[in-house]
């Protein structure tokens, strides 16, 4: 009953006309971003962060806006997957297997409609799971001491690559680089300058908002300039909606299975929506067996991955809100936004900033309804966006990034620094070094250092305190498994995903 009361308070926050307007705007823009191949939710949220600062939004409104963008981008990823056989982001890859064959058979409208309904179901299941699990986990996290938090942050870095990570070594390199960057500035314990090189602007450290917008938004712009600065795609025909009620009812069990599996994978740090969509598709294929025509346009092959990746997007918020550890790349960006708003994510957030937490959760429920309402009647508009040449979209994104960053500090130095991060991000991506571990290192590095210092002070410098408690030892063991599993399980999963793609009779 206590949770229900908090949720009602959250609805009181989310349903104000001001917050509702930004939730609708975020859902709309998020879908636009999601349907553009290659952008994805992390880039979308990063691009919109400067806008939140430019408009001077209060914390709860800013988080509602960015969370709506996150949810909208997860919805939008299916559009290019179905129409172009090009995933809008990695989690939407599995949707290509049956979505594109449906489009080739003249059922693009049906595939877009049923995938929107599946996304709604997965998002709703994931949000319900978030409501039930987050308060429980937050209360449990109150028992953590400095040693347990240090082990928890270590676990976050260890599982960062996820079991679908392409190269765990490069992930570790990226995380180390992020931690190194986080040490720039004045040491709060000793007052010693670290790596400032006499530059006054570096005394307070490197603002992670600059790093995020630079690494994600600016580097993405550079990639657009390099590879996609041309004409738009040819106009695509969606066709008429012929989906029957019988087909829709048939997909209900698929929606439920996909949503639950997706939520579970989202809660696990490092697993994320990609694993959620893959597991949901694979399980559904096994459940249906030979009765289905997976890879040839089976409607359940569209529903399963979409329910899975949208359930995972809500699940990834659980560790971020309760432990301060992001469950995905996009929640790492949201975590940075919370910290920049002087809000400390973690168990105390549920008491000290309950209006923000429950406002965001309530906005997720409202946002899912808004996204369903938007995605079915406006799908033709989103499809037309795929035909717009990037040369017309790039100036808008660039303007938002530069104006937003300048509005935060009114410093041209920050603009130069943001561009420098963008160029660095471009070359890092060329080397296939992931960017999310850098951001996570930049975010969690200071807290990891602080908790390490506190643990050693309390134990008079005895290092064994870091694994003395059973909970800390358990976290160390899980962290060790997180480092080893990508080498063992990652290649197997990638082979299976590639095999699933090859089994589809449709090719580019």
């Amino acid at each position: 009953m206590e949770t229900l009361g908090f949720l009602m308070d959250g609805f009181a926050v989310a349903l104000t006309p001001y917050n509702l307007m930004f939730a609708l705007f975020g859902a709309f823009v998020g879908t636009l971003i999601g349907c553009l191949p290659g952008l994805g939710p992390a880039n979308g949220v990063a691009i919109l962060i400067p806008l939140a600062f430019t408009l001077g939004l209060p914390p709860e409104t800013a988080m509602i806006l960015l969370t709506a963008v996150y949810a909208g981008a997860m919805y939008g990823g299916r559009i290019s997957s179905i129409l172009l056989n090009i995933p809008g982001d990695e989690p939407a890859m599995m949707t290509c297997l049956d979505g594109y064959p449906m489009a080739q058979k003249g059922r693009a409208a049906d595939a877009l409609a049923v995938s929107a309904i599946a996304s709604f179901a997965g998002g709703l299941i994931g949000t319900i799971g978030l409501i039930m699990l987050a308060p429980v986990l937050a209360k449990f996290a109150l028992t953590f001491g400095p040693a347990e938090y240090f082990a928890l942050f270590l676990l976050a870095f260890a599982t960062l690559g996820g079991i679908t990570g392409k190269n765990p070594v490069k992930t570790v390199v990226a995380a180390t680089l992020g931690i190194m960057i986080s040490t720039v500035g004045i040491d709060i314990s000793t007052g010693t300058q670290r790596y400032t090189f006499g530059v006054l602007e570096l005394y307070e450290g490197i603002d992670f908002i600059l790093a995020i917008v630079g690494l994600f938004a600016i580097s993405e712009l550079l990639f657009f300039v390099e590879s996609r600065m041309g004409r738009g795609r040819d106009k695509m025909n969606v066709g008429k909606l012929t989906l029957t009620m019988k087909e829709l009812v048939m997909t209900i069990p698929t929606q439920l299975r996909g949503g639950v599996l997706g939520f579970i994978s989202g809660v696990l740090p490092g697993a994320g929506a990609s694993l959620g969509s893959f597991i949901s598709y694979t399980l559904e294929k096994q459940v249906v067996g030979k009765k289905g025509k997976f890879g040839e346009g089976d409607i359940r092959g569209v529903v399963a991955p979409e329910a899975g990746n949208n359930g995972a997007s809500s699940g990834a918020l659980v560790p971020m809100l309760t432990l301060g550890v992001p469950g995905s790349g996009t929640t790492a960006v949201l975590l940075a936004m919370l910290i920049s708003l002087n809000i400390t994510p973690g168990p105390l957030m549920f008491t000290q900033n309950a209006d923000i937490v429950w406002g965001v959760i309530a906005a997720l429920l409202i946002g899912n309804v808004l996204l369903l309402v938007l995605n079915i009647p406006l799908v033709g508009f989103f499809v037309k966006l795929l035909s717009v040449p990037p040369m017309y979209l790039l100036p808008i994104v660039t303007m938002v990034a530069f104006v937003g960053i300048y509005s935060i500090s009114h410093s041209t130095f920050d603009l130069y620094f943001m561009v420098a991060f963008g160029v660095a991000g471009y070359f890092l991506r060329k080397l296939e070094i992931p960017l999310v571990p850098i951001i996570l290192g930049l975010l969690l590095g200071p807290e990891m250092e602080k908790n390490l210092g506190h643990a050693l002070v309390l134990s008079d410098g005895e290092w064994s305190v870091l694994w003395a408690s059973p909970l800390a030892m358990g976290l160390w063991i899980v962290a060790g498994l997180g480092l080893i599993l990508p080498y063992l399980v990652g290649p197997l999963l990638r082979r299976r995903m590639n095999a699933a793609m090859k089994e589809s009779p449709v090719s580019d």
Side-chain angles (χ1 to χ4, degrees), residues 51-115:
L51 180 65
F53 283 108
T54 302
L55 297 176
L57 300 180
E60 62 275 11
T61 307
M63 290 306 301
I64 286 172
L65 167 65
L66 297 180
T67 306
V69 171
Y70 177 25
M74 296 302 295
Y75 268 69
R78 76 195 201 285
I79 296 176
S80 58
S81 297
I82 291 169
L83 296 177
L84 304 174
N85 203 27
I86 301 174
D89 52 15
E90 190 178 347
M93 183 177 68
M94 302 306 293
T95 308
C96 294
L97 299 181
D98 287 276
Y100 189 60
M102 285 186 69
Q104 287 193 315
K105 294 176 180 178
R107 300 195 66 192
D110 295 343
L112 290 168
V114 78
S115 62

Side-chain angles (χ1 to χ4, degrees), residues 156-439:
F157 286 115
T159 58
L160 196 55
I163 59 177
T164 57
K166 292 182 179 179
N167 193 320
V169 174
K170 290 183 177 180
T171 300
V172 172
V173 170
T176 303
L177 182 60
I179 293 174
M180 290 171 63
I181 296 173
S182 74
T183 62
V184 173
I186 297 178
D187 186 350
I188 58 174
S189 301
T190 63
T192 305
Q193 295 180 29
R194 300 189 296 192
Y195 313 113
T196 58
F197 306 106
V199 179
L200 184 63
E201 287 84 356
L202 294 179
Y203 281 20
E204 294 183 0
I206 294 175
D207 191 340
F208 36 75
I209 296 297
L210 296 179
I212 287 172
V213 177
L215 289 173
F216 285 96
I218 302 301
S219 71
E220 187 65 36
L221 294 176
L222 294 176
F223 264 89
F224 261 75
V225 170
E226 179 189 45
S227 61
R228 289 171 236 180
M229 183 62 87
R231 67 179 184 87
R233 298 182 183 275
D234 296 333
K235 187 175 180 181
M236 287 151 284
N237 184 25
V238 177
K240 293 183 179 180
L241 186 66
T242 60
L243 187 68
T244 64
M245 184 58 67
K246 181 181 178 181
E247 288 178 312
L248 197 57
V249 171
M250 179 184 70
T251 65
I252 291 177
T254 306
Q255 295 174 28
L256 294 175
R257 284 190 290 265
V260 172
L261 283 173
F263 175 74
I264 294 171
S265 69
V267 171
L268 301 174
S274 299
L275 182 65
S277 63
F278 172 70
I279 290 178
S280 299
Y281 183 89
T282 304
L283 176 67
E284 195 61 30
K285 191 174 180 180
Q286 292 176 348
V287 169
V288 175
K290 296 181 180 179
K291 296 179 181 178
K293 294 183 179 180
F294 284 80
E296 300 177 17
D298 194 306
I299 196 169
R300 289 162 294 192
V302 176
V303 170
E306 283 303 310
N309 67 39
N310 282 275
S313 66
S314 297
L317 291 170
V318 173
M320 186 202 80
L321 293 174
T322 59
L323 303 174
V325 175
S328 66
T330 312
T331 52
V333 180
L334 290 173
L335 178 68
M337 185 63 182
L338 280 173
I339 296 173
S340 69
L341 293 170
N342 295 319
I343 298 169
T344 303
L348 293 177
M349 187 178 172
F350 280 76
T351 53
Q352 297 175 351
N353 303 103
D355 56 334
I356 296 175
V357 174
W358 291 103
V360 167
I361 293 173
L364 271 176
L365 289 170
I366 297 168
N368 271 292
V369 177
L370 293 175
L371 282 163
L372 182 63
V373 172
L374 282 173
N375 270 265
I376 293 181
L378 293 182
V379 70
F381 174 80
F382 296 132
V383 169
K384 288 180 181 178
L385 185 70
L386 293 173
S387 304
V388 178
M391 62 184 293
Y392 298 126
L393 299 174
L394 287 173
I396 299 173
V397 176
T398 306
M399 180 189 69
V400 170
F402 276 82
V403 172
I405 290 298
Y406 187 76
S407 68
I408 297 173
S409 61
H410 301 285
S411 169
T412 53
F413 178 86
D414 286 353
L415 295 180
Y416 291 129
F417 222 59
M418 177 185 70
V419 173
F421 268 111
V423 174
Y426 170 81
F427 286 109
L428 288 170
R429 289 174 64 178
K430 282 286 188 181
L431 296 171
E432 296 186 350
I433 294 177
L435 302 181
V436 171
I438 299 175
I439 297 301

Side-chain angles (χ1 to χ4, degrees), residues 25-35 68-77 371:
F25 174 73
F28 179 74
V29 172
T31 306
L32 292 181
I33 290 171
C35 73
V69 171
Y70 177 25
M74 296 302 295
Y75 268 69
L371 282 163

